[in-house]
């Protein structure tokens, strides 16, 4: 019992250490975990009812996740091996958390004497929602398609300029579907729309300022300037953004895309300057667990706080309580559910 507690405390409250021995496993990139932690907490915050009016937040939140995924894109030299990796790391958690949400809502309906319906299981095939399953996990299946599409493009299109054309042509197809209000099953149209952001993330590896040890003093100042400029633009002109889940554009894509890229790069540079923060970086490292659990927990947290206080809880109380519950459940998921929470591979396709 001691070792899991020690590991939990160490990972939360001690910065990652550089390997001392030659050939030892390289440490995680601390500021990337921090950026993911900031992003997932913004997701929980907005689902709790906070921050919706903050300038630029909608233009930052989801593009950050797609761009971070693109930043670490690797085709593994084989499309089949790539699919195997993504099935284990993305699709299996999607199925698990979607079924968890459906089971939770089914049990709640039984407890309240309401009729059960299986609509939540096939809802994402016919509409851009998962309200009777687990709403936030739409992102996982959309990210799965985006990974597969970009892998196919990168394997078959070697020249960067041709790959750029292919990616933006597919992104344009997603935009056309959004304008025609055409929904493709399992958020496939959303994945096309997100592809340019994924591609932009893959290009960020060429940005020297994001490398460890490069521009350490300049990075946070530039990051604050970029985030400030993006937020200022949104405060003055409104926030042009894309609701990826519903594949809906709020404003022109010619503005929304570069604005999101500027905000994401700015946040990454700010996080590089900070390096690492306790709890937030830990939640970023296991952000897929927080993503999959927080909406399932939030309904129960809200009801529990209401019973304890005798009145409807405030948004901040719901946010902090839900985030804390997710944080405490991360070690449980790692220990007992590693194969369905992207901590270990479940099976091989080859």
């Amino acid at each position: 019992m001691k070792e899991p507690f020690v590991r939990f405390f160490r990972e939360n409250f001690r910065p990652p250490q550089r390997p001392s021995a030659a050939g030892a496993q390289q440490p995680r990139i601390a500021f990337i975990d921090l950026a993911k932690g900031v992003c997932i907490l913004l997701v929980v915050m907005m689902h709790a009812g906070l921050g919706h009016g903050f300038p630029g937040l909608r233009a930052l939140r989801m593009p950050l996740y797609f761009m971070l995924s693109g930043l670490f894109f690797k085709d593994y030299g084989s499309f089949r091996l790539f699919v195997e990796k993504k099935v284990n790391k993305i699709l299996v958690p999607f199925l698990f958390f979607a079924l968890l949400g459906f089971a939770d809502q089914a049990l709640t309906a039984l407890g309240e004497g309401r009729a059960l319906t299986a609509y939540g299981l096939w809802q994402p095939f016919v509409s851009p929602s998962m309200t009777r399953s687990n709403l936030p996990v739409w992102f996982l299946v959309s990210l799965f398609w985006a990974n597969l599409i970009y892998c196919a493009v990168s394997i078959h299109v070697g020249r960067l300029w041709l790959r750029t054309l292919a990616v933006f042509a597919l992104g344009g197809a997603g935009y056309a579907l959004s304008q025609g209000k055409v929904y493709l099953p399992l958020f496939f149209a959303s994945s096309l729309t997100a592809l340019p952001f994924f591609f932009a993330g893959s290009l960020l590896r060429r940005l020297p300022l994001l490398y460890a040890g490069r521009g350490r003093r300049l990075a946070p100042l530039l990051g604050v300037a970029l985030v400030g400029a993006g937020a200022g633009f949104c405060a003055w002109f409104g926030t042009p953004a894309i609701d990826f889940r519903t594949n809906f554009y709020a404003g022109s894509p010619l503005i929304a895309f570069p604005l999101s890229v500027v905000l994401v790069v700015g946040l990454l540079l700010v996080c590089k300057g900070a390096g690492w923060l306790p709890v937030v970086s830990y939640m970023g490292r296991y952000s897929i667990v927080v993503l999959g659990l927080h909406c399932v927990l939030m309904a129960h947290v809200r009801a529990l706080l209401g019973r304890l206080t005798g009145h409807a809880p405030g948004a901040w109380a719901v946010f902090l309580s839900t985030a804390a519950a997710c944080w405490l459940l991360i070690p449980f998921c790692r220990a007992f559910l590693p194969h369905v929470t992207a901590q270990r591979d479940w099976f091989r396709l080859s």
Side-chain angles (χ1 to χ4, degrees):
M1 292 295 293
K2 180 181 177 182
E3 179 56 30
F5 175 80
V6 171
R7 191 187 311 121
F8 178 68
F9 184 87
R10 183 171 58 240
E11 291 182 350
N12 268 283
F13 301 106
R14 192 177 75 177
Q17 305 296 311
R18 291 185 177 276
S20 56
Q25 185 178 2
Q26 291 297 312
R28 296 176 64 87
I29 303 175
F31 81 90
I32 296 295
D33 281 341
L34 176 57
K36 291 166 63 179
V38 170
C39 186
I40 194 60
L41 287 173
L42 288 176
V43 170
V44 180
M45 185 180 76
M46 293 187 77
H47 287 160
L50 294 166
H52 288 274
F54 192 84
L57 194 56
R58 289 191 303 130
L60 168 69
R61 202 170 45 113
M62 296 316 300
L64 174 59
Y65 259 124
F66 282 109
M67 289 175 68
L68 284 175
S69 299
L71 183 64
F72 292 99
F73 171 79
K74 181 181 179 181
D75 63 19
Y76 300 102
S78 161
F79 186 72
R80 182 166 184 166
L81 181 58
F82 183 84
V83 172
E84 177 185 307
K85 294 282 186 182
K86 298 308 169 184
V87 165
N88 279 294
K89 299 301 184 184
I90 302 177
L91 192 58
V92 168
F94 162 73
L95 293 171
F96 169 72
F97 287 120
L99 289 172
L100 176 68
F102 178 77
D104 174 71
Q105 292 194 357
L107 289 173
T108 301
L110 280 174
E112 296 175 352
R114 293 186 281 110
L116 295 178
T117 174
Y119 180 54
L121 295 176
W122 56 273
Q123 188 178 15
F125 288 92
V126 296
S127 70
S129 185
M130 298 190 70
T131 53
R132 298 193 182 183
S133 181
N134 189 351
L135 184 63
V137 299
W138 72 267
F139 168 74
L140 294 177
V141 71
S142 182
L143 181 62
F144 177 75
W145 295 128
N147 269 275
L148 264 59
I149 296 167
Y150 185 67
C151 183
V153 170
S154 68
I155 287 175
H156 294 97
V157 183
R159 294 183 180 274
L160 181 60
W161 70 272
L162 284 174
R163 188 181 304 177
T164 303
L165 286 177
V167 164
F168 279 92
L170 291 167
Y175 176 73
L177 291 168
S178 77
Q179 297 306 292
K181 295 182 170 39
V182 177
Y183 175 74
L184 299 181
L186 292 171
F187 308 97
F188 192 84
S190 300
S191 304
L192 295 175
T193 302
L195 204 60
F197 294 91
F198 190 95
F199 176 63
S202 73
L203 295 180
L204 286 182
R205 284 178 295 187
R206 302 167 181 259
L207 193 65
L209 275 176
L210 288 179
Y211 297 159
R214 298 288 295 273
R216 189 172 181 179
R217 295 180 180 177
L218 177 62
L221 296 176
L222 180 58
V224 169
L226 290 175
V227 172
F233 178 92
C234 294
W236 188 264
F237 297 103
T239 302
I242 307 169
D243 184 337
F244 288 102
R245 180 177 62 85
T246 59
N247 200 21
F248 172 76
Y249 280 81
S252 167
L254 298 179
I255 299 176
F257 177 76
L259 174 67
S260 292
V261 171
V262 165
L263 287 169
V264 169
V265 172
L267 178 64
L268 288 175
L269 293 175
V270 170
C271 289
K272 182 182 178 182
W276 176 88
L277 288 176
V279 179
V280 179
S281 295
Y282 179 80
M283 294 181 76
R285 180 172 181 175
Y286 303 105
S287 59
I288 196 168
V289 175
V290 183
L291 178 75
L293 287 180
H294 77 273
C295 265
V296 175
L297 294 172
M298 192 172 288
H300 299 291
V301 165
R302 187 175 278 111
L304 178 60
L305 290 175
R307 285 197 295 269
L308 290 175
T309 62
H311 56 79
W316 275 106
V318 173
F319 162 60
L320 293 173
S321 300
T322 302
C326 291
W327 175 59
L328 293 172
L329 283 171
I330 289 172
F332 173 85
C333 291
R334 291 182 61 201
F336 300 105
L337 301 168
H339 296 93
V340 293
T341 56
Q343 307 309 309
R344 291 183 187 175
D345 289 350
W346 192 6
F347 60 86
R348 295 181 180 273
L349 299 177
S350 54

